[in-house]
Amino acid sequence: MPLPQDLLRRLYTEPPERFVATRDAAVAEARRSGDPATAREIARLRRPTVAAWLVNLLALRRPELVADLTQLAEALRAALRDLRGPRLRELSAQRRAAVAALVAEARRVGR
């Protein structure tokens, strides 16, 4: 059975230094409620790196930024496939701006 989405969201938005304590409390709660299988599944979850934690936060709090970058990547692939130099230059500039916006937002949400 899949783990509850609210638990996963809580764990993976928790700052990495608090992940283990939060996970262990969730394991203990699952055991207390008589669900050893869920407790084992929760115990297998691993603490994210800081970079992964920031990406999780961005995906949850600013999905439109992630979607914009995904659409831009698709446009870049198409321009590269068609060997359109001017379009590639334009899209590359847009990519730099999008990545800069994501980095700025990651810094903001990471505080």
Side-chain angles (χ1 to χ4, degrees), residues 64-77 87 91:
E64 73 282 0
L65 291 177
V66 177
D68 289 347
L69 190 61
T70 301
Q71 290 173 351
L72 187 56
E74 291 169 10
L76 274 162
R77 276 192 294 279
R87 181 74 175 139
L91 291 170

Side-chain angles (χ1 to χ4, degrees), residues 41-106:
E41 287 297 314
I42 296 168
R44 284 184 229 183
L45 298 174
R46 296 294 165 240
R47 181 177 64 150
T49 63
V50 172
W53 171 68
L54 287 170
V55 169
N56 288 338
L57 289 179
L58 285 174
L60 291 168
R61 295 181 183 173
R62 297 297 306 273
E64 73 282 0
L65 291 177
V66 177
D68 289 347
L69 190 61
T70 301
Q71 290 173 351
L72 187 56
E74 291 169 10
L76 274 162
R77 276 192 294 279
L80 185 59
R81 186 178 49 248
D82 298 339
L83 298 174
R84 294 186 191 164
R87 181 74 175 139
L88 276 170
R89 284 187 288 282
E90 174 190 331
L91 291 170
S92 291
Q94 289 177 20
R95 180 188 61 201
R96 284 190 295 278
V99 169
L102 279 167
V103 168
E105 188 64 13

Side-chain angles (χ1 to χ4, degrees), residues 9-23 46-50 52-54 56-57 61 109-111:
R9 180 181 288 258
R10 186 167 30 108
L11 282 170
Y12 286 105
T13 56
E14 192 73 68
E17 65 271 8
R18 293 200 310 245
F19 178 89
V20 172
T22 303
R23 181 200 58 204
R46 296 294 165 240
R47 181 177 64 150
T49 63
V50 172
W53 171 68
L54 287 170
N56 288 338
L57 289 179
R61 295 181 183 173
V109 299
R111 289 189 201 116

